[in-house]
Amino acid sequence: AGALYAVLAAMRRSMALGAVAVLALNGSLWYLLHHTPGLGLTQHPQLWFVPLALAVLAAGHLNRGRLAAGQYLAVNYACLMTIYLSSTADIFLVGVAQAPWLPLVLAALSIAGILVGIASRLRSFLMLGTGFLCLALLTMIWHAASNLGWTWAWYVSGIALGILIITAFAVLEKKRGELIAWLDEVSH
């Protein structure tokens, strides 16, 4: 039913049929997840919330001309927070020791958000992606140090962070004019 409504929405360019298609597809996904052992809402919230948030984010982008600037910004932040927080909740519910790939999923989503933010000059994608990428990296370092006994991971990451900060400030100072012009473009 969802695929049928999606085809009809594309053919008729109907936003209402598109919304019905998204609801039908998410409803079928939720039915499948509910009836699959181990994929419940409280076990893997990422599987439940990310597809719907991506659909709303895409709908907001497609209808950005109809939305006020504040509404478009609110849709972006709400959807991105839903995506990133559900991925973070999945990490804390399952645990990094049982599923070490979950921080990598959060990091991949964050990097994708950063790249979209750079390409489309959207500050919300850039800021939230950077923040949750740092959280994913910190989670992986914490897991390596506490659960695997690799305390050297803290030292190496601290040194690498220091080198990265010094390099970033050197590049920012060298390309100050270009950076200010780019920030003006992103903020508008």
Side-chain angles (χ1 to χ4, degrees):
L4 174 68
Y5 281 118
V7 169
L8 286 174
M11 287 175 41
R12 295 183 182 178
R13 299 192 185 273
S14 170
M15 188 171 58
L17 287 175
V20 171
V22 167
L23 289 175
L25 289 169
N26 275 299
S28 63
L29 175 66
W30 288 347
Y31 179 82
L32 176 69
L33 291 173
H34 178 69
H35 286 86
T36 304
L39 297 180
L41 179 63
T42 58
Q43 295 159 330
H44 291 287
Q46 182 178 19
L47 297 175
W48 289 75
F49 292 116
V50 169
L52 182 62
L54 288 174
V56 172
L57 192 63
H61 179 71
L62 292 174
N63 295 305
R64 67 186 177 277
R66 297 179 189 174
L67 297 172
Q71 291 173 327
Y72 182 60
L73 191 62
V75 167
N76 281 347
Y77 274 108
C79 291
L80 290 172
M81 288 299 290
T82 300
I83 292 168
Y84 292 139
L85 287 176
S86 66
S87 297
T88 304
D90 211 342
I91 291 170
F92 289 115
L93 287 173
V94 175
V96 181
Q98 284 84 16
W101 62 86
L102 289 176
L104 295 174
V105 171
L106 178 60
L109 288 171
S110 300
I111 291 170
I114 291 168
L115 293 176
V116 168
I118 290 171
S120 60
R121 294 188 167 98
L122 291 172
R123 190 181 333 161
S124 56
F125 282 80
L126 194 57
M127 288 176 25
L128 289 174
T130 303
F132 279 95
L133 178 61
C134 291
L135 178 69
L137 291 174
L138 184 65
T139 302
M140 287 186 271
I141 293 167
W142 175 80
H143 169 66
S146 65
N147 294 340
L148 302 177
W150 296 351
T151 55
W152 57 266
W154 286 115
Y155 306 120
V156 171
S157 61
I159 292 168
L161 181 63
I163 291 170
L164 181 68
I165 289 172
I166 291 170
T167 305
F169 280 127
V171 169
L172 292 177
E173 188 61 33
K174 186 176 182 181
K175 303 209 181 242
R176 179 180 227 149
E178 295 173 24
L179 179 67
I180 291 172
W182 181 76
L183 286 175
D184 284 340
E185 286 181 33
V186 170
S187 64
H188 296 301

